[in-house]
């Protein structure tokens, strides 16, 4: 009796997962472009963000329509709310990938610091894994896994801290590297923000499964 | 229909210190001949709250509701076992004056059933038979009950006209006014809006919400959105059992029992 609704819910679910993959790819490419100084790849990331934004609007429209026409309750409602909320987190993650792309384009023949670039690459790898894991946890509606993933955010924060200190040190040591170090710092903070958005999605997975609204990893007590 | 384990159930307990219970049943069984329609239902009904009884057709919710003011007494071969506690009295007991009891526990039915009399006489019919003769008192009663039922402004100039000339929604609100004219404590409603269009439904719902300040309301409804909109508590009936009883917002957001989840989200029923 609710076959059409089931189909629509499934379509929403699939399109949300696809959006997650698009965003993960954008993050991955943006970091690679930054490390490789590949401005073409950076432009590709910026260009592809239009598709991500379009997808978010599409998911919102579908959700509004389903709420208006089907008046969903319980797990159906939670699924739709989760997609609406988590898709805007994904969209913001995509925006940060764009910012990393813009940093890449801005960089002109700066002196490079391999040690910091290695840390950024490692940090990006963790962020990427977090992004992939969260999609998997969403598909499986695995709230235990979501809580584990949220904990990985601490690792990202540690990288962020480490890169910050290294940039300060490097600048003190050789002031001519200041412009490049500023960009390193920016990219690290974009990655750190992406980790925070993944944590938000973890919270929505907990809601999806249990109906409880939780606050994971608040950064209130942390300083750099 | 999918079978659910009937031992799998959640009945929220209401702390009597925090919630005043206006009516409750204890292990209520209803039998039609040898077949058991209600298998031992224990529920509390909090004073000045609306409790919705939901469930598929044949789940027993209307049978249960009708038992609460002993409407099933009139059906041959029907037996109701268990307690119905009202003001520390078991009104399912033998010595109870049913007519007296129904002054306290009124009923409104699915289809509006005004008497073929004037609007005024519909309201005053029962009070007159209970000895109220004073015209001024009766006039006041008509005005206050029609106001409580949100009908006064529409009918105040045509009180002597036939109630049957009113629209369906107005007739139903007249029936609510008629029921509250006896100043009951508890109002039982059996799908009061299911024969009405959406606007009339909405006015009846508004009426019920405004009555909540003075009456304890128990309503059977097939309309999930209606239960969600107006009730404080929801009891889910399935095959003669209550599988879940909880605060309405929990039932519609995160029910504890799979059968409830499947019913309220339209997977069966």
């Amino acid at each position: 009796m609710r076959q059409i609704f089931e189909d629509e819910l499934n379509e929403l679910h699939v399109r949300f997962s696809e959006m997650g993959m698009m965003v993960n790819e954008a993050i991955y490419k943006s970091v690679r472009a930054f490390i490789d100084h590949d401005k073409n790849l950076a432009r590709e990331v910026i260009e592809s963000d239009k598709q991500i934004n379009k997808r978010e609007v599409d998911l919102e429209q579908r959700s509004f329509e389903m709420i208006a026409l089907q008046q969903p309750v319980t797990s159906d409602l939670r699924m739709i709310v989760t997609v609406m909320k988590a898709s805007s987190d994904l969209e913001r993650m995509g925006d940060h990938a764009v910012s990393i792309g813009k940093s890449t384009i801005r960089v002109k023949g700066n002196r490079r610091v391999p040690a910091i670039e290695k840390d950024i690459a490692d940090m990006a790898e963790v962020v990427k894994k977090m992004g992939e894991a969260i999609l998997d946890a969403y598909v499986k509606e695995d709230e235990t896994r979501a809580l584990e993933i949220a904990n990985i955010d601490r690792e990202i924060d540690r990288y962020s801290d480490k890169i910050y200190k290294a940039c300060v040190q490097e600048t003190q040591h050789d002031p001519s590297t200041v412009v490049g170090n500023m960009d390193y710092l920016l990219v690290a903070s974009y990655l750190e923000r992406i980790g925070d958005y993944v944590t938000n999605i973890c919270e929505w997975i907990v809601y999806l499964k249990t109906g409880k609204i939780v606050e994971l990893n608040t950064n209130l007590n942390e300083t750099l | 229909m999918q079978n659910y384990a009937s031992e799998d159930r959640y009945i929220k307990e209401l702390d009597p210190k925090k919630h005043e219970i206006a009516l409750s049943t204890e292990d209520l069984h209803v039998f039609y001949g040898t077949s058991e329609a209600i298998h031992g239902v224990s529920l509390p009904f909090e004073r000045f709250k609306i409790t919705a009884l939901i469930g598929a057709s044949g789940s027993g919710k209307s049978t249960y509701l009708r038992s609460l003011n002993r409407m099933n007494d009139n059906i041959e071969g029907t037996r109701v076992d268990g307690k119905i506690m009202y003001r520390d009295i078991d009104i399912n007991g033998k010595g109870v004056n049913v007519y007296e009891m129904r002054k306290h526990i009124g009923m409104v039915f699915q289809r509006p059933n005004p008497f073929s009399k004037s609007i005024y006489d519909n309201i005053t019919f029962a009070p007159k038979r209970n000895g109220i003769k004073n015209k001024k008192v009766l006039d006041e009663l008509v005005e206050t009950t029609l106001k409580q039922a949100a009908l006064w402004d529409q009918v105040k100039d045509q009180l002597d006209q036939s109630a049957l000339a009113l629209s369906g929604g107005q007739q139903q609100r007249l029936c609510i006014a008629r029921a509250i004219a006896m100043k009951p404590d508890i109002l039982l409603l059996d799908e009061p809006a299911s024969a009405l269009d959406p606007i009339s439904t909405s006015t009846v719902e508004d009426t019920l919400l405004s009555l909540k300040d003075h009456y304890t309301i128990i309503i059977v409804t097939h309309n999930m959105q209606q239960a969600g909109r107006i009730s404080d508590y929801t009891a889910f009936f399935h095959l003669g059992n209550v599988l879940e009883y909880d605060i309405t917002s929990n039932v519609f957001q995160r029910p504890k029992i799979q059968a409830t989840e499947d019913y309220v989200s339209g997977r069966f029923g």
Side-chain angles (χ1 to χ4, degrees):
Chain A
M1 110 187 50
R2 29 176 275 157
Q3 192 52 47
I4 292 171
F5 182 54
E6 294 283 354
D7 292 347
E8 284 174 355
L9 264 182
N10 196 40
E11 180 78 8
L12 191 73
H13 177 74
V14 168
R15 293 181 76 81
F16 174 79
S17 304
E18 279 172 4
M19 182 182 177
M21 287 187 267
M22 288 156 74
V23 169
N24 277 343
E25 192 183 333
I27 294 165
Y28 179 66
K29 279 186 178 168
S30 69
V31 176
R32 213 177 74 203
F34 183 78
I35 304 288
D36 296 348
H37 288 210
D38 182 344
K39 295 189 183 184
N40 285 332
L41 188 58
R43 284 193 193 93
E44 202 185 297
V45 170
I46 294 166
E47 189 58 31
S48 70
D49 192 53
K50 288 179 193 153
Q51 293 305 318
I52 293 174
N53 293 348
K54 250 168 89 177
R55 178 56 64 93
E56 190 205 7
V57 172
D58 167 71
L59 287 171
E60 280 174 345
Q61 281 171 340
R62 284 166 188 267
S63 303
F64 295 155
E65 190 175 311
M66 288 169 82
I67 290 171
L69 301 183
Q70 305 277 1
Q71 289 126 42
V73 293
T74 64
S75 58
D76 301 332
L77 178 64
R78 295 205 299 273
M79 161 76 112
I80 294 169
V81 168
T82 300
V83 167
M84 276 171 59
K85 299 291 284 189
S87 65
S88 59
D89 288 327
L90 282 178
E91 193 271 334
R92 300 300 297 275
M93 286 160 68
D95 289 347
H96 286 302
V98 167
S99 299
I100 295 173
K102 286 181 179 165
S103 295
T104 307
I105 292 167
R106 204 165 46 232
V107 171
K108 275 193 205 137
N110 293 329
R111 289 183 53 190
R112 300 171 65 165
V113 186
I116 296 178
E117 287 193 358
K118 165 115 188 13
D119 278 339
I120 289 177
D122 291 348
M123 182 180 183
E125 190 61 29
V126 178
V127 170
K128 184 180 145 229
K129 278 193 183 138
M130 234 178 137
E132 285 165 0
I134 198 67
L135 280 186
D136 189 51
Y138 164 78
V139 170
K140 293 176 181 156
E141 296 190 17
D142 184 345
E143 88 273 23
T144 318
R145 183 79 188 109
L147 294 172
E148 285 166 15
I149 295 164
N151 270 328
I152 305 175
D153 195 42
R154 297 180 197 285
E155 201 180 326
I156 290 174
D157 291 343
R158 277 197 294 276
Y159 272 114
S160 179
D161 199 16
K162 189 178 171 198
I163 291 163
Y164 175 83
K165 283 175 182 147
C167 288
V168 169
Q169 220 170 28
E170 197 60 37
T171 308
Q172 284 167 337
H173 175 69
D174 179 0
S176 73
T177 60
V178 67
V179 177
N181 289 333
M182 289 288 286
D183 272 317
Y184 290 148
L185 206 54
L186 274 175
V187 170
S189 75
Y190 295 140
L191 287 172
E192 192 269 329
R193 289 299 295 148
I194 290 172
D196 291 343
Y197 286 118
V198 174
T199 307
N200 286 351
I201 299 176
C202 293
E203 292 168 358
W204 289 112
I205 292 173
V206 173
Y207 168 76
L208 175 64
K209 191 66 193 290
T210 65
K212 291 186 185 124
I213 294 176
V214 292
E215 183 71 34
L216 302 171
N217 296 350
T218 50
N219 293 331
L220 292 177
N221 301 324
E222 293 175 21
T223 50
L224 270 172
Chain B
M1 192 188 300
Q2 194 177 335
N3 275 321
Y4 296 95
S6 60
E7 65 271 19
D8 204 12
R9 62 179 74 184
Y10 175 80
I11 310 292
K12 182 185 175 62
E13 298 213 0
L14 296 185
D15 180 352
K17 284 182 198 132
K18 290 184 191 151
H19 307 272
E20 191 187 343
I21 307 301
L23 183 76
S24 64
T25 64
E26 293 169 22
D27 197 27
L28 199 78
H29 296 257
V30 180
F31 298 86
Y32 290 130
T34 50
S35 87
E36 188 174 359
I38 300 286
H39 307 280
V41 168
S42 303
L43 282 179
F45 297 100
E46 185 172 350
R47 189 168 164 83
F48 299 152
K49 299 281 182 197
I50 299 180
T51 303
L53 312 182
I54 63 169
S57 299
S59 61
K61 56 193 189 305
S62 290
T63 298
Y64 176 80
L65 185 83
R66 283 199 301 269
S67 303
L68 295 180
N69 74 347
R70 309 240 333 228
M71 299 286 291
N72 288 331
D73 285 15
N74 306 333
I75 304 172
E76 185 118 2
T78 303
R79 194 174 91 237
V80 180
D81 290 348
K83 287 182 177 171
I84 303 169
M85 297 306 293
Y86 171 69
R87 293 186 176 170
D88 296 327
I89 299 167
D90 177 10
I91 56 172
N92 196 35
K94 283 217 161 37
V96 171
N97 179 337
V98 171
Y99 300 101
E100 192 60 32
M101 177 270 286
R102 286 189 190 142
K103 290 181 197 165
H104 298 274
I105 304 177
M107 180 85 135
V108 176
F109 298 91
Q110 180 174 8
R111 296 191 69 81
N113 56 352
F115 303 134
S116 177
K117 293 172 179 293
S118 71
I119 294 168
Y120 187 94
D121 287 345
N122 262 275
I123 308 276
T124 56
F125 185 84
K128 275 182 181 168
R129 261 141 206 83
N130 278 277
I132 302 177
K133 302 282 184 225
N134 184 322
K135 173 89 168 61
K136 195 164 163 252
V137 173
L138 290 169
D139 285 353
E140 267 177 25
L141 187 67
V142 168
E143 183 172 344
T144 50
T145 54
L146 285 173
K147 276 181 177 165
Q148 284 188 336
L151 195 58
W152 174 251
D153 287 341
Q154 294 160 49
V155 302
K156 63 184 174 196
D157 299 324
Q158 54 188 79
L159 294 175
D160 55 348
Q161 290 182 19
S162 169
L164 299 177
L166 296 172
S167 74
Q170 288 173 329
Q171 287 187 10
Q172 193 61 306
R173 278 180 283 147
L174 178 64
C175 292
I176 293 172
R178 190 177 64 188
I180 59 182
M182 291 305 293
K183 298 191 168 53
D185 271 351
I186 294 164
L187 211 48
L188 310 176
L189 302 112
D190 192 355
E191 296 186 49
S194 65
L196 305 179
D197 65 72
I199 303 289
S200 307
T201 298
S202 165
T203 52
V204 167
E205 287 177 8
D206 286 346
T207 304
L208 294 180
L209 284 171
S210 67
L211 290 176
K212 209 171 82 162
D213 294 342
H214 308 285
Y215 304 93
T216 303
I217 296 173
I218 305 170
I219 174 172
V220 164
T221 178
H222 267 130
N223 182 332
M224 294 301 115
Q225 283 79 38
Q226 181 169 69
R229 282 192 295 264
I230 66 171
S231 72
D232 302 285
Y233 297 99
T234 295
F236 169 59
F237 280 71
H238 185 61
L239 304 175
N241 291 296
V242 171
L243 297 192
E244 185 152 0
Y245 165 78
D246 201 351
I247 296 163
T248 297
S249 76
N250 285 347
V251 171
F252 286 91
Q253 289 190 82
R254 35 173 194 268
K256 297 188 173 58
I257 305 297
Q258 186 62 41
T260 316
E261 160 108 29
D262 288 354
Y263 181 70
V264 299
S265 54
R267 292 189 182 91
F268 78 87

